């Protein structure tokens, strides 16, 4: 039991590390790799929680996560990046060190926020809830600070990772049906993003979301 | 099987819904749809009259709870004398207008499909009937909205003109602002009516009747409700939609809107003030009275200025609503000073005027519709001399004009006279301020009555008398298209004749009507006036006591009839008494129809006197002469006059400017940058998390 909790904490730390990695990484492929790593840690962590808590349906979730977030989604994004011939450099709105500092502030805030829950909960995974919350917020932060549509998608998927992690760490996972549904949603979202990228590109000749400001009505 | 009023009322409503559904099936055969549809509407209206009339006569209360509605709040129906009275008013005018519509809507044949007109006409009638029988707030609001939405589509019926769409939109906006106020008012009352119980019980009117309201909250509820109903009734300054929407609707619809839809708002005010809230600080009544006086005077002043016949009638509706509101305001003042007999007198005066206005205004709109139907023209400046081509319409329209000008023997006189009687009793009030100010209101009401007479002299004179003013004076004037101007068909005439008779009957037999209406005042203010009003039999109407004032409809009527007959005989017995000849042209020899006294020139003195109340723009443009004849003089003279409602500039334009300004400021939030949007949600999440930690 204790060991499982320790392993889970380690994995949580790694997930948080990859989340920061996403903030720091300046190259598109590197970003994808880090995202895949995050998915892998998540998948392992889910399996560990499933083993420790004896809830076996978490294994299915774990496998699904592995297939989707480690293999399929990075692959799709990879293909997209190649096809669309996207710049390999990432453009940011706020510079990296500042983003990092905000990220650290968010982590502290998350710990502060989850402190009361940590004292009430009896689950082995209770200490990782703060990490999950921090991952969600860092994902959102990434969406805010990046210009490129693809990076925004990765931020979105990172947020989803965080939510999933929160679900497993707070309540030993959602019911299987819900998880299956979520997994399907992610998959479909990825396809839709793929299609939209092409459309956005043909419309604006760019994937810079700044272009969308043109959609606003003039006054 | 016995006749159950509430059953009759609900079957009347059901028939209207059925008609709305069946109209879709008869879409293919428009002529049949018009005949069958409006005949059915007439029958359904008669059912409503029967139900309402019986309830008022018996004074009993009938209730019915329908098994539909919200889970906890089924639809409550209730027929008491007050709703019965309004049911009668709606049904009666609905009956006359439905007959009239058979003829009127044939004018649309071959031009546009009338299916929607029939559907929304039926829904509109059903909505109005439901409003007055609804007995819980939820059902009331639903009915109110059916009525508002259906009338919106009716105003939009001829939607190819931008003017109509604009008017309909304005109407919809005002109607909904009013509906929100009414809803809020019900919310306030339900809060107190529900007491400690959970659920929707507080929303039934029964619970509201039982409830005790603190004065402050009662005032809030009353003010909200009054605002909402005033917006519907067209009380100044909430009247702006009325002169826009009424003229553009088909005339049979204008007749109903002006004749009875405005009255549902009167019903609402009476229901809320006298039945649901029993608290009566005297200033409520004073406020209602002041607004009524302002509405009456301003409404008729604006009416005098109009050149559009239907617009004139619409403004005149504003005036009459003012007169009705005056009656209600007086009744409220008397009630708050515990003078039930006088309150009953004022309330009966207001209700009588409600009935009368429904009749003669519906009637006048039908008449205007007949003129429109025949000439395709709404502008009075382009009419004239129609009495020769449309003698029936002209004679009937005259009856309507006499009624609305409050001249005996027709009905308008009786109710305005009763209102004056109520005014004359105000010295009985124990409040010095009111004692001083109310006679001023009476004086202004007298002014309004006189101006109304002037207004309808103008309307009748310019439209029906004189010569045709159309643009092409050389052609035989009344030829338009192929048929020219001809008298309207018998259905339209029948609808108008029946209404004319009801105007006469209401004017000649007021004691009978007041005896019938007495149960309402008993229910609302707790006392009757029929005993004193009819103390000298049905011939003499003596409100309160015969020493003070009395009026005999039948005797006046017979006297007037005798004079009219004698004059007719004197003029027509000898063939030489009437001598027809061309107009003396002072030797000018080139007189045309356009040189006549016009509507604008008729109202010019009033425009000069009361000019400060209007937003007037007057322009005279003289164009230089055309080169060939260069000996000075003028080539052309253009006179342009625009009279606008001052309230647009005073109230509505500032409001719309402010809302645009606010919208622009709020629009700054919308940057079009996805990062900004994400930051909004991010910051929101963080703040929420901090609060709910």
């Amino acid at each position: 039991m204790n060991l499982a909790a320790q392993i889970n904490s380690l994995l949580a730390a790694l997930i948080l590390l990859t989340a920061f990695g996403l903030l720091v990484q300046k190259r598109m492929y590197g970003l994808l790799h880090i995202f895949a790593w995050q998915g892998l840690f998540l998948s392992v962590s889910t399996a560990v929680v499933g083993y420790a808590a004896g809830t076996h349906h978490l294994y299915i979730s774990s496998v699904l996560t592995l297939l989707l977030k480690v293999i399929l989604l990075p692959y799709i994004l990879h293909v997209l990046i190649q096809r669309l011939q996207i710049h390999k450099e990432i453009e940011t709105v706020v510079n990296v060190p500042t983003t990092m500092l905000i990220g650290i502030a968010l982590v502290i805030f998350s710990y502060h926020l989850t402190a009361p829950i940590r004292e009430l909960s009896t689950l082995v995974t209770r200490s990782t809830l703060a990490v999950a919350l921090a991952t969600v917020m860092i994902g959102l932060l990434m969406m805010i600070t990046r210009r490129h549509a693809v990076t925004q998608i990765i931020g979105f998927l990172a947020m989803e990772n965080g939510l999933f992690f929160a679900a497993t760490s707070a309540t030993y996972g959602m019911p299987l049906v819900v998880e299956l549904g979520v997994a399907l949603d992610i998959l479909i979202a990825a396809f839709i993003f793929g299609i939209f990228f092409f459309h956005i590109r043909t419309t604006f000749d760019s994937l810079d979301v700044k272009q969308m400001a043109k959609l606003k009505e003039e006054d | 099987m016995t006749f159950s009023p509430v059953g009759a009322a609900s079957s009347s409503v059901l028939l209207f819904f059925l008609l709305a559904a069946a109209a879709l099936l008869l879409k293919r055969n428009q002529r049949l749809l018009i005949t069958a549809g409006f005949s059915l509407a007439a029958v359904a209206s008669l059912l409503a009259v029967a139900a309402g009339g019986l309830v008022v006569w018996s004074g009993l209360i009938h209730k019915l709870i329908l098994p539909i509605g919200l889970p906890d709040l089924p639809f409550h129906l209730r027929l008491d004398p007050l709703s019965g009275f309004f049911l009668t008013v709606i049904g009666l005018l609905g009956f006359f207008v439905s007959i009239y519509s058979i003829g009127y809507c044939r004018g649309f044949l071959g031009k546009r499909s009338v299916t929607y007109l029939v559907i929304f006409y039926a829904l509109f009638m059903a909505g109005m009937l439901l409003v007055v029988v609804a007995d819980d707030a939820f059902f009331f609001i639903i009915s109110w909205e059916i009525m508002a939405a259906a009338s919106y589509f009716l105003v939009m019926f001829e939607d190819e003109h931008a003017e109509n769409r604009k008017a309909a939109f304005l109407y919809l906006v005002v109607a909904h602002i009013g509906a929100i106020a009414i809803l809020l008012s019900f919310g306030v009352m339900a809060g107190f009516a529900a007491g400690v119980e959970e659920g929707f019980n507080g929303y039934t009117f029964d619970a509201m009747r039982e409830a005790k309201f603190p004065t402050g909250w009662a005032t809030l509820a009353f003010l909200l409700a009054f605002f909402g109903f005033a917006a519907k009734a067209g009380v100044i300054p909430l009247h702006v939609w009325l002169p826009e929407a009424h003229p553009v609707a088909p005339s049979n619809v204008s007749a109903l809107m002006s004749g009875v839809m405005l009255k549902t708002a009167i019903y609402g005010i009476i229901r809320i003030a006298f039945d649901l809230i029993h608290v009566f600080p005297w200033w409520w009544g004073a406020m209602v009275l002041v607004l009524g006086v302002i509405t009456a005077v301003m409404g008729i002043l604006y009416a005098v200025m109009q050149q559009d016949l239907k617009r004139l009638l619409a403004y005149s509706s504003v005036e009459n609503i003012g007169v009705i509101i005056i009656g209600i305001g007086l009744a409220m003042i008397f009630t708050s000073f515990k003078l039930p007999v006088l309150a009953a007198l004022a309330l009966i005066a207001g209700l009588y005027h409600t009935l009368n206005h429904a009749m003669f205004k519906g009637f006048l709109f039908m008449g205007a519709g007949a003129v429109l139907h025949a000439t395709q023209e709404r502008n009075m400046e382009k009419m004239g001399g129609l009495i020769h081509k449309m003698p029936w319409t002209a004679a009937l329209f005259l009856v309507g004009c006499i009624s609305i000008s409050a001249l005996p023997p027709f009905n308008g006189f009786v109710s305005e006279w009763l209102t004056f009687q109520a005014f004359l009793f105000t010295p009985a009030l124990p409040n010095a301020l009111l004692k001083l100010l109310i006679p001023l209101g009476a004086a202004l009401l007298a002014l309004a009555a006189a101006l109304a007479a002037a207004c309808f002299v103008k309307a009748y004179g310019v439209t029906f008398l004189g010569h045709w003013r159309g643009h092409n004076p050389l052609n035989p004037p009344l030829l338009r298209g192929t048929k020219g101007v001809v008298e309207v068909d018998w259905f339209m005439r029948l609808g108008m004749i029946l209404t004319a008779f009801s105007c006469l009957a209401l004017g000649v037999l007021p004691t009978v009507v007041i005896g019938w209406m007495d149960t309402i005042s008993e229910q609302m203010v707790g006392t009757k006036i029929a005993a004193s009003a009819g103390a000298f039999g049905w011939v003499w109407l003596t409100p309160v006591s015969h020493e003070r004032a009395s009026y005999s409809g039948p005797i006046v009527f017979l006297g007037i009839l005798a004079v009219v007959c004698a004059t007719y005989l004197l003029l027509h017995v000898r063939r030489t008494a009437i001598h027809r000849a061309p107009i003396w042209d002072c030797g000018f020899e080139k007189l045309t129809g356009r040189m006549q006294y016009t509507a604008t020139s008729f109202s010019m003195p009033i425009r000069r006197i009361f000019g400060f109340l209007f937003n007037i723009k007057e322009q005279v443009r003289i164009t230089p002469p055309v080169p060939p004849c260069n000996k000075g003089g003028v080539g052309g003279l253009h006179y342009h006059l625009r009279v606008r409602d001052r309230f647009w500039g005073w109230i509505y334009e500032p409001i719309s400017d402010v809302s645009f300004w606010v919208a622009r400021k709020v629009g700054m939030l919308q940057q079009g940058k996805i990062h900004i949007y994400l930051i909004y949600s991010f910051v929101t999440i963080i703040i929420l998390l901090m609060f709910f930690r």
Side-chain angles (χ1 to χ4, degrees), chain B residues 107 165 199 440 497 520 664:
Chain B
R165 294 196 296 270
L440 198 64
I497 290 169
I520 308 169
R664 269 197 299 278

Side-chain angles (χ1 to χ4, degrees), chain B residues 270-276 278 280 328 331-332 335 347 524-525:
Chain B
I270 297 179
R271 174 66 77 195
I272 299 253
F274 288 93
D275 195 19
L276 302 187
H278 306 285
F280 274 109
I328 295 172
M332 288 173 73
T335 311
L347 187 68
M524 291 295 143
V525 292

Side-chain angles (χ1 to χ4, degrees), chain B residues 494-540:
Chain B
L494 184 64
M496 291 194 281
I497 290 169
L498 288 174
T499 327
F501 270 111
S502 71
C503 281
L504 186 61
L506 288 171
V508 173
L509 300 168
T511 35
V512 178
V513 183
I514 287 175
W516 170 71
M517 280 164 62
D518 231 15
T519 50
I520 308 169
S521 62
E522 192 180 12
Q523 182 206 359
M524 291 295 143
V525 292
T527 186
K528 295 187 176 202
I529 61 163
S532 61
F536 288 78
W538 59 275
V539 178
W540 288 96

